[in-house]
């Protein structure tokens, strides 16, 4: 009888261990599939889905598959709070997103209280400060922060154009203002005079700002605006015959932005981006091929960034005794150092950033050509 | 240099002013026929642009002029449907509910477009691109087309309303629906026609916005509120007032960047609106709504 009971127990333990090993690890995804920038969320979801499919096909995390729960946060703070609360209730061990910096700020205290790790490509300067101040210890970044990108862009303006005076055109929100402040500081340190002009998001006319740069005698202009606004700036600078050299944020090289522009508008412009389809990097080209095969469309920076976020998470989970344990994941994230698509992805203590590389591209017509890669890490 | 700046800014300001004027007229048409403040027409402008650029141009591949013709038919049908299913019913509700209803209709239209046509922007490359150059002054062809087309549409609308039987019936319905019905005017049919015309105006605005901004889910943000401001500044419910209001708002916000930081440009039109409402609530041309 005793032998029989022992056998039963052994079988039960074996079954339990097997079940544990194959039990899916729940990962919550908060993306904006509706609202003002749904294409960002949809591209992000495609990158995440592809990465999860690849990891699961390769055997998952120590034998356990990843199961994702994707929720639409609409790109709003209320939406993000609702989504994150739902994902916590659904038992997520890790959260990817939300993307908007304001949304990240809105959910940060909730996730901090639950000690739940989350990673975002939201890159507001305020987020980095909160992490550095030790307020949000479970927040991680899979994309270089705005401050880093703006600094790279400003340095590139100095290197490329050696200007005596620089114009900065930026959107009047956190994205544009944060970059403007960083770039102004870089130019100031180099003894370069700065003229700032702003545009409101979705503004349809920037004639006044462009003419102000012309009258101000700027030798180069740094443009830091959102995707659709970049189209307006490109068209109007071209139509006004504005020939001053221009370097922009990554919006110029996005396929959905390029699709709206004409060749002459941006020919000769420069842009700083984390992802360029023309990069010769093997990681970029391999990712691009797989993405094209999976989704039949060109990937962009959001898909590349969030694809990397999944691999950062997976790498950390692999090194955990229990890959679904949030505290263990947080500890393991600090040892992550892998090659991603947009950058080498290694943990930076203090700021919780993983990516630190960017490309400076020159536009040949509508074709972004990578001039150089910059590692600000 | 300053003269060049003033001329350049004036042209773009007048062009945007005509767009605002058309938006204000679209408000006015629906308001006059149903007594409804339609806050969904920015989405209807977007719908028009998507039907032309995404459906007929991109998906079906028709030439632009045919895209416009077929889109006009679609928008007229949408106008008939909207008036019967929504506007006539909403106009019978208290204002707060009817306004909320129009806002929700706008959200439904937006999300339906997103689900149907996706969130990737569309464009019609080559449409109204290029510039006219006179010395060091460059005037965008798009702005010239906007001014000419919007001017013609405004003129046609005024002639239609003042000199055709249907237009005069629209004015009667505006003044007193019961009396108009007693005089044999089919009020419901009149509202349907007005809504259809309004939707065609939305289509024209959407078409003219395509070269300025492409076709995307945010292409009409701000236009609705500025069009409303234009109508109120010029004289809400009065067509010539809408034109004057539109041009004033467009010019002031464009030229304001010469004097104030460009970040405040969008607020100038609303400041003008508040000043006009305080000094002359019925609008500059003085016609009561």
């Amino acid at each position: 009888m005793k032998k029989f009971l022992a056998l039963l127990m052994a079988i039960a333990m074996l079954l339990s261990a097997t079940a544990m090993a194959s039990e899916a690890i729940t990962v919550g995804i908060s993306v904006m599939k509706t609202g003002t920038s749904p294409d960002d969320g949809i591209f992000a979801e495609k990158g995440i889905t592809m990465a999860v499919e690849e990891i699961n096909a390769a055997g998952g995390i120590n034998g356990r598959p990843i199961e994702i729960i994707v929720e639409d946060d609409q790109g709003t703070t209320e939406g993000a709070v609702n989504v994150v609360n739902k994902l916590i209730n659904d038992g997520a061990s890790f959260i990817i997103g939300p993307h908007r910096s304001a949304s990240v700020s809105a959910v940060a205290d909730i996730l901090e209280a639950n000690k739940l790790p989350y990673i975002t490509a939201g890159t507001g300067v305020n987020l980095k400060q909160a992490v550095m101040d030790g307020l949000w210890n479970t927040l991680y970044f899979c994309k270089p922060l705005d401050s880093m990108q703006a600094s790279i862009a400003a340095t590139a303006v100095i290197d490329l154009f050696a200007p005596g005076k620089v114009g900065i055109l930026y959107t009047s929100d956190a994205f544009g203002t944060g970059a403007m402040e960083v770039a102004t500081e870089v130019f100031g340190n180099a003894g370069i005079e700065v003229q700032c002009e702003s545009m409101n998001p979705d503004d349809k006319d920037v004639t006044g700002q462009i003419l102000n740069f012309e009258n101000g005698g700027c030798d180069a202009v740094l443009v830091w605006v959102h995707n659709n606004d970049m189209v307006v700036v490109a068209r109007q600078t071209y139509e006004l015959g504005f020939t001053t050299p221009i370097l922009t944020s990554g919006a110029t090289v996005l396929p959905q932005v390029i699709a709206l522009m004409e060749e002459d508008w941006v020919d000769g412009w420069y842009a700083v981006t984390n992802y360029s389809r023309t990069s010769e990097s093997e990681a970029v080209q391999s990712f691009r091929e797989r993405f094209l095969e999976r989704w039949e469309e060109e990937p962009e920076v959001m898909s590349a960034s969030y694809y990397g976020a999944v691999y950062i998470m997976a790498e950390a989970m692999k090194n955990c005794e229990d890959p679904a344990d949030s505290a263990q994941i947080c500890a393991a994230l600090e040892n992550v150092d892998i090659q991603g698509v947009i950058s080498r992805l290694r943990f930076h203590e203090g700021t919780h950033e993983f990516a630190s590389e960017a490309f400076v591209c020159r536009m040949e017509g509508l074709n972004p050509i990578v001039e150089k890669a910059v590692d600000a890490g | 240099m300053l003269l060049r700046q003033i001329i350049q800014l004036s042209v773009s300001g007048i062009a945007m002013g005509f767009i605002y004027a058309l938006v204000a007229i679209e408000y006015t048409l629906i308001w006059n026929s149903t007594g409804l403040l339609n806050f969904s027409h920015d989405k209807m402008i977007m719908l028009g642009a998507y039907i032309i650029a995404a459906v007929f141009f991109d998906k079906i591949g028709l030439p632009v002029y045919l895209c416009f013709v077929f889109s006009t038919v679609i928008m007229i049908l949408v106008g008939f449907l909207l008036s019967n299913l929504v506007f006539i019913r909403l106009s019978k509700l208290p204002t707060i509910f009817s306004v909320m209803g129009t806002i929700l209709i706008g959200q439904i239209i937006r999300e339906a477009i997103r689900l149907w046509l996706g969130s990737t922007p569309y464009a019609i490359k080559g449409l109204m691109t290029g510039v006219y150059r006179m010395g060091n002054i460059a005037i965008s062809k798009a702005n010239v087309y906007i001014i000419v087309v919007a001017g013609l549409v405004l003129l046609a609308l005024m002639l239609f309303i003042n000199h055709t039987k249907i237009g005069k019936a629209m004015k009667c319905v505006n003044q007193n629906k019961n009396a108009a019905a007693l005089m044999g005017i089919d009020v419901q049919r009149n509202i349907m026609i007005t809504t259809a015309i309004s939707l065609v105006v939305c289509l024209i605005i959407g078409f003219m916005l395509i070269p300025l901004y492409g076709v995307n889910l945010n292409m009409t943000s701000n236009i609705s509120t500025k069009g409303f401001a234009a109508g109120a500044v010029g004289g809400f419910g009065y067509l010539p007032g809408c034109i004057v209001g539109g041009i004033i708002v467009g010019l002031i916000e464009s030229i304001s960047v010469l004097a104030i930081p460009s970040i405040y440009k969008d607020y100038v039109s609303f400041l003008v609106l508040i000043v006009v409402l305080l000094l002359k609530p019925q609008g500059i041309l003085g016609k009561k709504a």
Side-chain angles (χ1 to χ4, degrees), chain A residues 170-172 196-201 203 205 209 212, chain B residues 222 226 249 252-272:
Chain A
Y170 64 98
T171 41
S172 56
C196 293
E197 298 282 341
S198 70
M199 68 183 288
N200 293 317
D203 203 344
D205 184 19
Q209 291 92 323
N212 283 347
Chain B
N222 277 341
K226 286 184 185 172
V249 168
I252 288 180
E253 75 170 14
S254 185
I255 292 180
S256 66
V257 297
L258 288 174
I260 58 170
S262 43
I263 194 169
Y264 301 116
K265 194 181 92 169
D266 277 351
Y267 308 117
V268 171
S269 45
F270 303 122
L271 189 66
V272 171

Side-chain angles (χ1 to χ4, degrees), chain A residues 331-343:
Chain A
L333 279 167
E334 296 186 8
N335 298 317
V336 170
D337 186 350
I338 55 173
Q339 181 57 52
V341 177
I342 63 166
S343 172

Side-chain angles (χ1 to χ4, degrees), chain A residues 29-31 71-74 78-88 95:
Chain A
I29 315 292
S30 174
V31 286
E71 297 290 345
D72 175 20
D73 63 32
Q74 303 171 317
E78 314 89 79
V81 168
N82 290 337
V83 162
V84 162
N85 280 326
K86 181 181 180 300
L87 294 173
I88 292 169
I95 288 177

